[in-house]
Coordinates of all heavy atoms in Angstrom, one line a residue:
R18 N 51.4 -114.3 50.4 CA 50.3 -113.4 50.4 C 49.4 -113.8 51.5 O 49.3 -114.9 51.9 CB 49.6 -113.5 49.1 CG 50.4 -113.0 47.9 CD 49.7 -111.9 47.2 NE 50.6 -111.2 46.4 CZ 50.2 -110.4 45.4 NH1 49.0 -110.3 45.1 NH2 51.1 -109.7 44.8
Q19 N 48.6 -112.8 52.0 CA 47.7 -113.0 53.1 C 46.3 -112.5 52.7 O 46.2 -111.5 52.0 CB 48.2 -112.2 54.3 CG 47.4 -112.3 55.5 CD 47.9 -111.5 56.7 OE1 47.8 -110.3 56.6 NE2 48.4 -112.1 57.7
L20 N 45.3 -113.2 53.1 CA 43.9 -112.8 52.9 C 43.3 -112.6 54.3 O 43.3 -113.5 55.2 CB 43.1 -113.9 52.2 CG 41.6 -113.7 52.1 CD1 41.3 -112.5 51.3 CD2 41.0 -115.0 51.5
I21 N 42.9 -111.4 54.6 CA 42.2 -111.1 55.9 C 40.7 -111.1 55.7 O 40.2 -110.3 54.9 CB 42.7 -109.7 56.4 CG1 44.2 -109.6 56.5 CG2 42.0 -109.3 57.7 CD1 44.8 -108.3 56.8
Y22 N 40.1 -112.1 56.3 CA 38.7 -112.3 56.2 C 37.9 -111.4 57.2 O 36.9 -110.8 56.8 CB 38.3 -113.8 56.4 CG 36.9 -114.1 56.3 CD1 36.2 -114.0 55.0 CD2 36.1 -114.4 57.4 CE1 34.9 -114.3 54.9 CE2 34.8 -114.7 57.3 CZ 34.2 -114.6 56.0 OH 32.8 -114.9 55.9
N23 N 38.4 -111.4 58.4 CA 37.8 -110.6 59.4 C 38.8 -110.4 60.6 O 40.0 -110.8 60.4 CB 36.4 -111.2 60.0 CG 36.6 -112.6 60.5 OD1 37.6 -113.0 60.9 ND2 35.5 -113.4 60.4
D24 N 38.4 -109.9 61.7 CA 39.3 -109.6 62.8 C 40.0 -110.8 63.3 O 41.1 -110.7 63.9 CB 38.6 -108.9 63.9 CG 38.1 -107.5 63.6 OD1 38.7 -107.0 62.6 OD2 37.2 -107.0 64.2
F25 N 39.4 -112.0 63.2 CA 40.0 -113.2 63.8 C 40.4 -114.3 62.8 O 40.9 -115.3 63.2 CB 39.1 -113.8 64.9 CG 37.7 -114.1 64.3 CD1 37.4 -115.3 63.8 CD2 36.7 -113.2 64.4 CE1 36.2 -115.6 63.3 CE2 35.4 -113.5 64.0 CZ 35.1 -114.7 63.4
L26 N 40.2 -114.1 61.5 CA 40.6 -115.1 60.5 C 41.4 -114.4 59.4 O 41.0 -113.6 58.7 CB 39.3 -115.7 59.9 CG 39.6 -116.8 58.8 CD1 40.4 -117.9 59.3 CD2 38.3 -117.3 58.2
K27 N 42.7 -114.8 59.4 CA 43.6 -114.4 58.4 C 44.3 -115.6 57.8 O 44.8 -116.5 58.5 CB 44.7 -113.5 59.0 CG 44.1 -112.2 59.6 CD 45.1 -111.4 60.3 CE 44.3 -110.2 60.9 NZ 45.1 -109.5 62.0
L28 N 44.3 -115.7 56.5 CA 44.9 -116.8 55.8 C 46.3 -116.4 55.2 O 46.4 -115.5 54.4 CB 44.0 -117.3 54.7 CG 42.6 -117.6 55.1 CD1 41.8 -118.0 53.8 CD2 42.6 -118.8 56.0
D29 N 47.3 -117.0 55.7 CA 48.7 -116.7 55.2 C 49.2 -117.8 54.2 O 48.7 -118.9 54.2 CB 49.7 -116.7 56.4 CG 49.5 -115.5 57.3 OD1 49.4 -114.4 56.7 OD2 49.6 -115.7 58.5
G30 N 50.2 -117.4 53.5 CA 50.8 -118.4 52.6 C 50.1 -118.7 51.3 O 50.3 -119.7 50.7
I31 N 49.3 -117.8 50.8 CA 48.6 -118.0 49.6 C 49.6 -117.7 48.5 O 50.2 -116.7 48.4 CB 47.4 -117.0 49.4 CG1 46.3 -117.3 50.5 CG2 46.8 -117.1 48.0 CD1 45.2 -116.3 50.5
P32 N 49.9 -118.7 47.6 CA 50.9 -118.6 46.6 C 50.5 -117.5 45.6 O 49.4 -117.3 45.2 CB 50.8 -119.9 45.8 CG 50.2 -120.9 46.8 CD 49.2 -120.1 47.6
K33 N 51.5 -116.7 45.2 CA 51.3 -115.6 44.2 C 50.7 -116.1 42.9 O 49.9 -115.4 42.3 CB 52.6 -114.9 44.0 CG 53.1 -114.0 45.1 CD 54.4 -113.3 44.7 CE 54.9 -112.5 45.9 NZ 56.1 -111.8 45.6
A34 N 51.0 -117.3 42.5 CA 50.6 -117.9 41.3 C 49.0 -117.9 41.2 O 48.4 -117.9 40.1 CB 51.2 -119.2 41.0
V35 N 48.4 -118.0 42.4 CA 46.9 -118.1 42.4 C 46.3 -116.9 41.7 O 45.3 -117.0 41.0 CB 46.4 -118.1 43.9 CG1 44.9 -117.8 44.0 CG2 46.7 -119.5 44.5
F36 N 47.0 -115.7 41.8 CA 46.5 -114.5 41.2 C 46.7 -114.4 39.7 O 46.3 -113.5 39.0 CB 47.0 -113.3 41.9 CG 46.6 -113.3 43.4 CD1 47.4 -113.9 44.4 CD2 45.4 -112.7 43.7 CE1 47.0 -113.9 45.7 CE2 45.0 -112.7 45.0 CZ 45.8 -113.3 46.0
N37 N 47.4 -115.4 39.1 CA 47.7 -115.5 37.7 C 46.5 -116.1 36.9 O 46.5 -116.0 35.7 CB 49.0 -116.2 37.4 CG 50.2 -115.5 37.9 OD1 50.2 -114.3 38.1 ND2 51.2 -116.2 38.2
Y38 N 45.7 -116.8 37.6 CA 44.5 -117.4 36.9 C 43.4 -116.4 37.0 O 42.8 -116.1 38.0 CB 44.1 -118.7 37.7 CG 42.8 -119.3 37.1 CD1 42.7 -119.6 35.7 CD2 41.7 -119.6 37.9 CE1 41.6 -120.2 35.2 CE2 40.6 -120.2 37.4 CZ 40.5 -120.5 36.0 OH 39.4 -121.0 35.5
K39 N 43.1 -115.8 35.8 CA 42.2 -114.7 35.7 C 40.8 -115.1 35.1 O 40.8 -116.0 34.2 CB 42.8 -113.6 34.8 CG 44.1 -113.1 35.2 CD 44.0 -112.1 36.3 CE 45.3 -111.5 36.6 NZ 45.3 -110.4 37.6
L40 N 39.8 -114.5 35.6 CA 38.5 -114.5 35.1 C 38.2 -113.1 34.6 O 37.8 -112.2 35.5 CB 37.4 -115.0 36.1 CG 37.7 -116.4 36.7 CD1 36.7 -116.6 37.8 CD2 37.5 -117.4 35.6
G41 N 38.4 -112.8 33.4 CA 38.3 -111.4 32.9 C 39.6 -110.7 33.4 O 40.7 -111.1 33.2
N42 N 39.4 -109.6 34.1 CA 40.6 -108.8 34.6 C 40.9 -109.0 36.0 O 41.8 -108.4 36.6 CB 40.3 -107.3 34.3 CG 39.1 -106.8 35.1 OD1 38.4 -107.5 35.7 ND2 39.0 -105.5 35.1
R43 N 40.2 -110.0 36.7 CA 40.5 -110.3 38.1 C 40.8 -111.8 38.3 O 40.4 -112.6 37.5 CB 39.3 -110.0 39.0 CG 39.0 -108.5 39.1 CD 37.9 -108.3 40.1 NE 36.7 -108.8 39.6 CZ 35.5 -108.8 40.3 NH1 35.5 -108.3 41.4 NH2 34.4 -109.3 39.7
S44 N 41.6 -112.1 39.3 CA 41.9 -113.5 39.6 C 40.6 -114.2 40.1 O 39.7 -113.5 40.6 CB 43.0 -113.7 40.6 OG 42.5 -113.3 41.9
A45 N 40.5 -115.5 40.0 CA 39.3 -116.2 40.5 C 39.1 -115.9 42.0 O 38.0 -115.7 42.4 CB 39.5 -117.7 40.2
L46 N 40.2 -115.9 42.7 CA 40.1 -115.6 44.1 C 39.6 -114.2 44.4 O 38.7 -114.1 45.3 CB 41.5 -115.9 44.8 CG 41.5 -115.7 46.3 CD1 40.5 -116.6 47.0 CD2 42.9 -115.9 46.9
E47 N 40.1 -113.3 43.7 CA 39.6 -111.9 43.9 C 38.1 -111.8 43.6 O 37.3 -111.1 44.2 CB 40.4 -110.9 43.0 CG 41.8 -110.7 43.5 CD 42.6 -110.0 42.4 OE1 42.5 -110.3 41.2 OE2 43.4 -109.1 42.8
W48 N 37.7 -112.5 42.5 CA 36.3 -112.5 42.1 C 35.4 -113.1 43.2 O 34.4 -112.5 43.6 CB 36.1 -113.3 40.8 CG 34.7 -113.2 40.3 CD1 34.3 -112.2 39.4 CD2 33.6 -114.0 40.6 NE1 32.9 -112.5 39.1 CE2 32.5 -113.6 39.8 CE3 33.4 -115.2 41.4 CZ2 31.3 -114.2 39.9 CZ3 32.2 -115.8 41.4 CH2 31.1 -115.3 40.7
V49 N 35.8 -114.2 43.8 CA 35.0 -114.9 44.9 C 35.0 -114.0 46.1 O 34.0 -113.8 46.7 CB 35.6 -116.3 45.2 CG1 35.0 -116.8 46.5 CG2 35.3 -117.2 44.1
I50 N 36.1 -113.4 46.5 CA 36.2 -112.5 47.6 C 35.2 -111.4 47.4 O 34.4 -111.0 48.3 CB 37.6 -112.0 47.8 CG1 38.5 -113.1 48.3 CG2 37.6 -110.8 48.8 CD1 40.0 -112.8 48.3
D51 N 35.2 -110.8 46.2 CA 34.2 -109.7 46.0 C 32.8 -110.1 46.1 O 31.9 -109.4 46.6 CB 34.5 -109.1 44.6 CG 33.6 -107.9 44.3 OD1 33.7 -106.9 45.2 OD2 32.9 -107.8 43.3
Q52 N 32.5 -111.3 45.6 CA 31.1 -111.8 45.6 C 30.6 -112.1 47.0 O 29.4 -112.1 47.3 CB 31.0 -113.1 44.7 CG 31.2 -112.8 43.3 CD 30.3 -111.8 42.7 OE1 29.1 -111.8 42.8 NE2 30.8 -110.7 42.1
Y53 N 31.5 -112.5 47.9 CA 31.1 -112.9 49.3 C 31.3 -111.8 50.3 O 31.3 -112.1 51.5 CB 31.9 -114.2 49.7 CG 31.2 -115.4 49.1 CD1 31.5 -115.8 47.8 CD2 30.2 -116.1 49.8 CE1 30.8 -116.9 47.2 CE2 29.6 -117.1 49.2 CZ 29.9 -117.5 47.9 OH 29.2 -118.6 47.4
R54 N 31.5 -110.6 49.9 CA 31.5 -109.5 50.8 C 30.1 -109.1 51.2 O 29.2 -109.2 50.4 CB 32.2 -108.2 50.2 CG 33.6 -108.4 50.0 CD 34.3 -107.1 49.6 NE 35.7 -107.3 49.6 CZ 36.5 -106.7 48.9 NH1 36.1 -105.7 48.1 NH2 37.8 -106.9 48.9
V55 N 29.9 -108.7 52.4 CA 28.6 -108.2 52.9 C 28.5 -106.8 52.3 O 29.4 -105.9 52.4 CB 28.6 -108.1 54.4 CG1 27.3 -107.4 54.8 CG2 28.7 -109.5 55.0
K56 N 27.4 -106.5 51.6 CA 27.2 -105.3 50.9 C 25.8 -104.7 51.3 O 24.9 -105.4 51.5 CB 27.2 -105.5 49.4 CG 28.6 -106.0 48.9 CD 28.5 -106.3 47.4 CE 29.8 -107.0 47.0 NZ 29.6 -107.9 45.9
V57 N 25.8 -103.4 51.4 CA 24.6 -102.7 51.7 C 24.3 -101.7 50.5 O 25.1 -100.9 50.2 CB 24.7 -101.9 53.0 CG1 23.4 -101.1 53.3 CG2 25.1 -102.8 54.2
D58 N 23.1 -101.9 50.0 CA 22.6 -101.0 48.9 C 22.4 -99.6 49.5 O 21.7 -99.4 50.4 CB 21.3 -101.5 48.3 CG 20.9 -100.7 47.1 OD1 21.5 -100.9 46.0 OD2 20.0 -99.8 47.3
K59 N 23.1 -98.6 48.9 CA 23.0 -97.2 49.4 C 21.6 -96.7 49.4 O 21.2 -95.9 50.3 CB 24.0 -96.3 48.6 CG 25.4 -96.7 48.9 CD 26.4 -95.8 48.1 CE 27.8 -96.3 48.3 NZ 28.7 -95.5 47.4
R60 N 20.9 -96.9 48.3 CA 19.5 -96.4 48.2 C 18.5 -97.0 49.1 O 17.8 -96.4 49.8 CB 19.1 -96.5 46.7 CG 19.3 -95.2 45.9 CD 18.7 -95.2 44.6 NE 17.6 -96.2 44.4 CZ 17.4 -96.9 43.3 NH1 18.2 -96.8 42.3 NH2 16.4 -97.7 43.1
S61 N 18.5 -98.3 49.1 CA 17.4 -99.0 49.8 C 17.8 -99.5 51.2 O 17.0 -99.7 52.0 CB 17.0 -100.3 49.0 OG 18.1 -101.2 49.0
G62 N 19.1 -99.6 51.4 CA 19.6 -100.0 52.8 C 19.5 -101.6 52.9 O 19.8 -102.1 54.0
I63 N 19.1 -102.3 51.8 CA 19.1 -103.7 51.9 C 20.5 -104.3 52.0 O 21.4 -103.9 51.3 CB 18.4 -104.3 50.6 CG1 16.9 -103.8 50.6 CG2 18.4 -105.8 50.5 CD1 16.1 -104.1 49.3
V64 N 20.6 -105.2 52.9 CA 21.9 -105.9 53.1 C 22.0 -107.2 52.4 O 21.1 -108.0 52.5 CB 22.1 -106.1 54.7 CG1 23.4 -106.9 54.9 CG2 22.0 -104.8 55.4
N65 N 23.0 -107.3 51.6 CA 23.3 -108.6 50.9 C 24.3 -109.3 51.7 O 25.5 -109.0 51.8 CB 23.8 -108.3 49.5 CG 24.1 -109.6 48.8 OD1 23.7 -110.7 49.2 ND2 24.9 -109.5 47.7
E66 N 23.9 -110.4 52.4 CA 24.8 -111.2 53.3 C 24.9 -112.6 52.8 O 24.0 -113.4 53.0 CB 24.2 -111.1 54.7 CG 24.7 -112.2 55.7 CD 26.2 -112.0 56.0 OE1 27.0 -112.6 55.2 OE2 26.6 -111.4 57.0
P67 N 25.9 -112.8 51.9 CA 26.0 -114.1 51.3 C 26.6 -115.3 52.1 O 26.7 -116.4 51.7 CB 26.9 -113.8 50.1 CG 27.8 -112.7 50.6 CD 26.9 -111.9 51.5
N68 N 27.1 -114.9 53.3 CA 27.7 -115.9 54.2 C 26.6 -116.9 54.7 O 25.5 -116.5 54.9 CB 28.5 -115.3 55.3 CG 29.6 -114.4 54.7 OD1 30.5 -114.9 54.1 ND2 29.5 -113.1 54.9
R69 N 27.0 -118.1 55.1 CA 26.1 -119.1 55.6 C 26.2 -119.3 57.1 O 27.2 -119.8 57.5 CB 26.3 -120.4 54.9 CG 26.1 -120.3 53.4 CD 26.4 -121.7 52.7 NE 26.1 -121.6 51.3 CZ 26.3 -122.6 50.5 NH1 26.7 -123.8 51.0 NH2 26.0 -122.5 49.2
E70 N 25.2 -118.8 57.8 CA 25.3 -119.0 59.3 C 25.2 -120.4 59.7 O 25.8 -120.8 60.7 CB 24.1 -118.2 59.9 CG 24.2 -116.7 59.8 CD 23.1 -116.0 60.4 OE1 22.4 -116.6 61.3 OE2 22.9 -114.8 60.2
D71 N 24.6 -121.3 58.9 CA 24.5 -122.7 59.2 C 25.8 -123.5 58.9 O 25.9 -124.7 59.3 CB 23.3 -123.3 58.5 CG 23.4 -123.3 57.0 OD1 24.0 -122.3 56.5 OD2 22.9 -124.2 56.3
D72 N 26.7 -122.9 58.2 CA 28.0 -123.5 57.9 C 29.1 -122.5 57.9 O 29.5 -122.0 56.9 CB 27.9 -124.2 56.5 CG 29.1 -125.0 56.1 OD1 30.0 -125.1 56.9 OD2 29.1 -125.5 55.0
E73 N 29.6 -122.3 59.1 CA 30.6 -121.2 59.3 C 31.9 -121.5 58.6 O 32.7 -120.6 58.3 CB 30.9 -121.0 60.8 CG 29.7 -120.5 61.6 CD 29.9 -120.3 63.0 OE1 31.0 -120.7 63.5 OE2 29.0 -119.8 63.7
G74 N 32.2 -122.7 58.3 CA 33.5 -123.1 57.6 C 33.3 -123.0 56.1 O 34.3 -123.2 55.3
Y75 N 32.2 -122.6 55.6 CA 31.9 -122.6 54.1 C 32.9 -121.7 53.4 O 33.5 -122.2 52.4 CB 30.5 -122.2 53.9 CG 30.2 -122.0 52.4 CD1 30.0 -123.1 51.6 CD2 30.1 -120.8 51.8 CE1 29.7 -123.0 50.2 CE2 29.9 -120.6 50.5 CZ 29.7 -121.7 49.7 OH 29.4 -121.6 48.4
I76 N 33.1 -120.5 53.9 CA 33.9 -119.6 53.1 C 35.4 -120.1 53.1 O 36.0 -120.0 52.1 CB 33.9 -118.2 53.8 CG1 32.5 -117.6 53.7 CG2 34.9 -117.2 53.2 CD1 32.0 -117.4 52.3
L77 N 35.9 -120.6 54.2 CA 37.2 -121.1 54.3 C 37.4 -122.3 53.3 O 38.4 -122.3 52.5 CB 37.6 -121.6 55.7 CG 39.0 -122.2 55.9 CD1 40.0 -121.2 55.5 CD2 39.1 -122.6 57.3
E78 N 36.4 -123.2 53.2 CA 36.5 -124.3 52.3 C 36.4 -123.8 50.9 O 37.1 -124.3 50.0 CB 35.4 -125.3 52.6 CG 35.6 -126.1 53.9 CD 36.9 -126.8 53.9 OE1 37.3 -127.5 53.0 OE2 37.6 -126.7 55.0
L79 N 35.6 -122.8 50.6 CA 35.5 -122.2 49.3 C 36.8 -121.6 48.8 O 37.3 -121.8 47.7 CB 34.3 -121.2 49.2 CG 34.1 -120.5 47.9 CD1 33.7 -121.5 46.8 CD2 33.0 -119.5 48.0
V80 N 37.4 -120.9 49.7 CA 38.7 -120.2 49.4 C 39.8 -121.3 49.1 O 40.5 -121.2 48.1 CB 39.1 -119.3 50.5 CG1 40.6 -118.8 50.3 CG2 38.2 -118.0 50.5
K81 N 39.8 -122.3 49.9 CA 40.8 -123.4 49.7 C 40.5 -124.1 48.3 O 41.5 -124.4 47.6 CB 40.7 -124.5 50.8 CG 41.2 -124.0 52.1 CD 41.0 -124.8 53.3 CE 40.7 -126.2 53.2 NZ 40.6 -127.0 54.5
K82 N 39.3 -124.3 47.9 CA 39.0 -124.9 46.6 C 39.4 -124.0 45.5 O 39.9 -124.4 44.5 CB 37.5 -125.2 46.5 CG 37.1 -126.4 47.4 CD 35.6 -126.6 47.4 CE 35.2 -127.7 48.4 NZ 33.7 -127.9 48.4
I83 N 39.1 -122.7 45.6 CA 39.5 -121.7 44.6 C 41.0 -121.7 44.4 O 41.5 -121.6 43.3 CB 38.9 -120.3 44.9 CG1 37.4 -120.3 44.9 CG2 39.5 -119.3 43.9 CD1 36.8 -120.7 43.5
I84 N 41.7 -121.7 45.5 CA 43.2 -121.7 45.4 C 43.6 -123.0 44.7 O 44.5 -122.9 43.7 CB 43.8 -121.6 46.8 CG1 43.6 -120.2 47.4 CG2 45.3 -122.0 46.8 CD1 43.9 -120.1 48.8
T85 N 43.1 -124.2 45.0 CA 43.5 -125.4 44.4 C 43.1 -125.4 42.9 O 44.0 -125.8 42.1 CB 42.8 -126.6 45.1 OG1 43.2 -126.6 46.5 CG2 43.1 -127.9 44.4
V86 N 41.9 -125.0 42.6 CA 41.5 -125.0 41.1 C 42.4 -124.0 40.3 O 42.8 -124.3 39.2 CB 40.0 -124.6 41.0 CG1 39.6 -124.3 39.6 CG2 39.1 -125.7 41.5
S87 N 42.7 -122.9 40.9 CA 43.5 -121.9 40.2 C 44.9 -122.4 39.9 O 45.4 -122.4 38.8 CB 43.6 -120.6 41.1 OG 42.4 -120.0 41.2
L88 N 45.5 -123.0 40.9 CA 46.9 -123.6 40.8 C 46.9 -124.8 39.8 O 47.8 -124.8 38.9 CB 47.5 -124.0 42.1 CG 47.7 -122.9 43.1 CD1 48.2 -123.5 44.4 CD2 48.8 -121.9 42.6
E89 N 45.9 -125.6 39.9 CA 45.8 -126.8 38.9 C 45.5 -126.3 37.5 O 46.1 -126.9 36.6 CB 44.8 -127.8 39.4 CG 45.2 -128.5 40.7 CD 46.5 -129.3 40.6 OE1 46.7 -130.0 39.6 OE2 47.3 -129.1 41.6
T90 N 44.7 -125.3 37.4 CA 44.4 -124.8 36.0 C 45.6 -124.2 35.4 O 45.9 -124.4 34.2 CB 43.2 -123.8 36.1 OG1 42.1 -124.5 36.6 CG2 42.9 -123.3 34.7
I91 N 46.4 -123.5 36.2 CA 47.6 -122.9 35.6 C 48.6 -124.0 35.2 O 49.2 -123.9 34.1 CB 48.3 -122.0 36.7 CG1 47.4 -120.7 36.9 CG2 49.7 -121.6 36.3 CD1 47.8 -119.9 38.1
K92 N 48.7 -125.1 35.9 CA 49.5 -126.2 35.5 C 49.1 -126.8 34.2 O 49.9 -127.1 33.3 CB 49.5 -127.3 36.6 CG 50.3 -127.0 37.8 CD 50.2 -128.2 38.7 CE 50.7 -127.9 40.1 NZ 50.5 -129.1 41.1
V93 N 47.8 -127.0 34.1 CA 47.2 -127.6 32.8 C 47.5 -126.6 31.6 O 48.0 -127.1 30.6 CB 45.7 -127.9 33.0 CG1 45.1 -128.2 31.6 CG2 45.5 -129.0 34.0
V94 N 47.2 -125.4 31.8 CA 47.4 -124.4 30.7 C 48.9 -124.3 30.3 O 49.2 -124.3 29.2 CB 46.8 -123.0 31.1 CG1 47.2 -121.9 30.1 CG2 45.3 -123.1 31.3
E95 N 49.8 -124.3 31.3 CA 51.2 -124.2 31.0 C 51.7 -125.5 30.3 O 52.7 -125.5 29.6 CB 52.0 -124.0 32.3 CG 51.8 -122.6 32.8 CD 52.5 -122.4 34.2 OE1 53.0 -123.4 34.8 OE2 52.6 -121.2 34.6
G96 N 51.0 -126.6 30.5 CA 51.4 -127.9 29.8 C 50.8 -128.0 28.4 O 51.2 -129.0 27.7
L97 N 49.9 -127.1 28.0 CA 49.4 -127.2 26.7 C 50.4 -126.8 25.7 O 51.3 -125.9 25.9 CB 48.2 -126.3 26.6 CG 46.9 -126.7 27.4 CD1 45.9 -125.6 27.3 CD2 46.4 -128.0 26.9
P98 N 50.4 -127.4 24.5 CA 51.3 -126.9 23.4 C 51.0 -125.5 23.0 O 49.8 -125.1 23.0 CB 51.1 -127.9 22.3 CG 49.8 -128.6 22.6 CD 49.5 -128.5 24.0
S99 N 52.0 -124.8 22.7 CA 51.8 -123.4 22.3 C 51.2 -123.4 20.9 O 51.4 -124.2 20.0 CB 53.1 -122.6 22.3 OG 54.0 -123.2 21.4
A100 N 50.3 -122.4 20.7 CA 49.6 -122.2 19.4 C 50.6 -121.5 18.5 O 51.1 -120.4 18.8 CB 48.3 -121.4 19.5
G101 N 50.9 -122.0 17.4 CA 51.8 -121.3 16.5 C 52.6 -122.2 15.6 O 52.9 -122.7 14.8

């Protein structure tokens, strides 16, 4: 899988299993991507820019951490005894 962040940053090789760790009806990675999009309020025109200009690598590091946590959580959950 590939995540396109902008015109010059594309992340390849994201394991499909990452999308199996869900927070509600979305994967953790999808949730973070949605939260870190630049959004403009249609009524007010206020721009929500969650990216950090002082730390350009922040988003990349965050995505890497979310991928790791998702994969490790799936391993833990799969190792739990089944209820029943």
Side-chain angles (χ1 to χ4, degrees):
R18 296 235 160 161
Q19 183 182 68
L20 171 63
I21 300 172
Y22 179 71
N23 56 28
D24 292 341
F25 56 87
L26 179 58
K27 296 174 184 164
L28 306 174
D29 286 319
I31 297 173
K33 288 182 182 181
V35 166
F36 297 93
N37 293 336
Y38 176 54
K39 303 279 186 178
L40 300 172
N42 61 351
R43 294 186 291 178
S44 72
L46 183 56
E47 290 168 319
W48 187 89
V49 167
I50 290 167
D51 184 55
Q52 295 302 307
Y53 279 84
R54 287 190 177 155
V55 176
K56 298 173 187 149
V57 179
D58 184 78
K59 292 177 184 177
R60 263 188 22 220
S61 68
I63 295 173
V64 177
N65 179 17
E66 165 61 276
N68 299 297
R69 298 180 177 181
E70 290 182 17
D71 61 328
D72 187 2
E73 293 178 357
Y75 174 76
I76 297 297
L77 179 58
E78 290 303 314
L79 179 62
V80 167
K81 288 173 18 180
K82 289 175 183 176
I83 295 299
I84 290 170
T85 300
V86 167
S87 296
L88 293 173
E89 292 301 315
T90 301
I91 290 168
K92 284 182 194 175
V93 168
V94 170
E95 289 175 347
L97 294 173
S99 59

